């Protein structure tokens, strides 16, 4: 069982958002950024921002805040995003296509350069500039060492066999968008993306607002 | 600033996944489920599962585990998912369309029944059974009290004005899929969905596996 513990998950989840803002500021020529600006952007308290960013090994300086280029480098380094992650994606349905169309990934060093599907109507066509390959050609096209990351966007029923196939072809990290728990061997990292997780968080916020409205403090 | 704190975010994010598994078990006629089964499914330690589920007010019983129907009801109650959330979605591009096609939402009580777009080529067409409405008709179609939740899937540059428009029309909860931080008045809940957040978590897991491989303990 690939049971990898990641402490501070909320902090880590926020890293791409910090990075996005910092790159924006850097592009605007801002040499530094205050904790307050970041806190406002993130909708967080300043103390949380400071604690979040400590994970990268960088501490803000009183009166100066953070040097944008230094913090960008530190976040990239912390996440291992110094180099491009070459990824393949399996399942060019509506979600897979949406992910292929998402322009934010390159900013984070993720490049989806190989796309597979089993549907004869899709094979050979292009989605957002990527040609869809026949999934039966996976072992031929997934050259050893070329790809590390596989994104699974197939229907739930096919997710496990897709994972098996990816692992058999040398993929050691799986980003799973299917609504199912995958079994993978030791040494393979899996991240299951549950889109409804955000809806759960929003629902709790709604309940909190209701509690405030209906009296309480 | 709608600065709502949600403690135990990772636990809350996992609730839909527990719910999904429990509903599966319930459909199979299983009256109860052990902590171990849930832990294996979630790729978590049993102790974490027990702590997670405590948030719903339910404790597992030694030798029995959890009663599936009781736990389903408790999770739904905790998240406020006893009733259907009627949602509208703005932006029927590739991501919006993917969300409209996602069948899991109904399971969680989320029903997207109204879809807006500004593109004349899209208005009047259907995506996954929903007719796309002209965004200029929002105030006419968003009848007061009918919808509480608005999902924003428009390009980044239009996200803030879309949020303003939704709030002006009585929406008090926004699920934001645009890669931008939104400003909303007090009393409006916002959840920003950063798809790269999962990639950040996966990246940290990859780094941990690398550390194990390259020596370490």
């Amino acid at each position: 069982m690939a049971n990898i513990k990641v402490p501070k998950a909320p902090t880590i989840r926020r890293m791409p958002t910090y990075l996005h803002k910092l790159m924006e500021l850097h592009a605007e020529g801002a040499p530094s950024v205050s904790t307050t600006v970041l806190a406002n952007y993130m909708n967080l308290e300043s103390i949380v921002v400071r604690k979040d960013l400590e994970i990268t090994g960088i501490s803000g300086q009183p009166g100066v805040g953070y040097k944008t280029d230094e913090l960008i480098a530190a976040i990239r380094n912390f996440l291992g995003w110094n180099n491009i992650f070459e990824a393949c994606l399996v399942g060019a349905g509506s979600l897979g296509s949406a992910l292929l169309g998402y322009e934010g990934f390159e900013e984070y060093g993720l490049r989806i350069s190989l796309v597979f599907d089993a549907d004869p109507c899709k094979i050979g066509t292009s989605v957002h500039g990527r040609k869809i390959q026949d999934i039966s050609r996976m072992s031929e096209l997934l050259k050893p060492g070329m790809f590390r990351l596989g994104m699974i966007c197939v229907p739930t029923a096919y997710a496990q066999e897709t994972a098996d196939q990816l692992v058999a072809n040398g993929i050691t990290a799986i980003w799973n968008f299917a609504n199912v728990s995958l079994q993978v061997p030791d040494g393979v990292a899996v991240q299951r993306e549950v889109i409804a997780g955000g809806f759960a968080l929003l629902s709790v916020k709604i309940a909190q607002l209701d509690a405030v409205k209906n009296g309480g403090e």
Side-chain angles (χ1 to χ4, degrees), chain A:
Chain A
M1 187 169 66
N3 199 338
I4 310 166
K5 281 222 187 317
V6 179
K8 308 205 178 216
T11 291
I12 293 167
R13 272 190 187 277
R14 286 194 282 270
M15 286 297 141
T17 312
Y18 285 111
L19 190 56
H20 179 74
K21 181 64 179 171
L22 288 162
M23 285 168 72
E24 226 172 63
L25 290 165
H26 189 67
E28 289 164 7
S32 64
V33 56
S34 70
T35 312
T36 314
V37 166
L38 288 175
N40 282 341
Y41 180 77
M42 301 294 293
N43 267 356
L44 294 169
E45 305 287 343
S46 291
I47 176 89
V48 179
V49 168
R50 259 182 236 113
K51 280 204 117 185
D52 272 358
L53 295 176
E54 265 173 21
I55 208 174
T56 68
I58 298 276
S59 301
Q61 278 166 25
V64 182
Y66 298 89
K67 290 186 183 158
T68 47
D69 54 354
E70 209 175 275
L71 192 51
I72 288 171
I75 292 176
R76 285 219 175 109
N77 191 48
F78 170 71
L79 295 171
W81 289 1
N82 295 311
N83 302 309
I84 293 285
F85 269 86
E86 292 283 351
C88 67
L89 182 148
V90 188
S94 54
L95 179 61
S97 301
L99 293 172
L100 288 169
Y102 183 64
E103 286 162 16
F105 284 146
E106 286 262 346
E107 183 175 316
Y108 305 123
L110 177 65
R111 187 185 295 147
I112 312 169
S113 43
L114 190 54
V115 180
F116 295 103
D117 203 288
D119 181 353
C121 300
K122 285 182 188 157
I123 294 163
T125 65
S126 280
V127 176
H128 295 289
R130 276 77 128 213
K131 195 173 158 195
I132 300 175
Q133 305 290 346
D134 187 338
I135 195 164
S136 69
R137 294 183 59 204
M138 190 188 280
S139 54
E140 173 195 339
L141 294 170
L142 269 188
K143 298 258 185 302
M146 245 180 80
F147 293 88
R148 177 153 196 190
L149 178 65
M151 298 164 73
I152 296 183
C153 303
V154 301
T156 308
Y158 302 102
Q160 183 63 54
E161 64 181 85
T162 301
D164 295 344
Q165 222 178 334
L166 286 169
V167 170
N169 285 290
I171 293 291
T172 55
I174 290 176
W175 199 3
N176 175 28
F177 289 85
N179 199 9
V180 66
S181 176
L182 298 175
Q183 302 300 315
V184 296
D186 279 343
V188 176
V190 180
Q191 175 68 25
R192 177 173 171 183
E193 206 61 38
V194 180
I195 198 80
F199 180 49
L201 280 170
L202 181 58
S203 301
V204 170
K205 289 180 186 174
I206 291 171
Q208 287 181 358
L209 283 176
D210 284 349
V212 172
K213 261 178 227 159
N214 306 330
E217 8 115 68

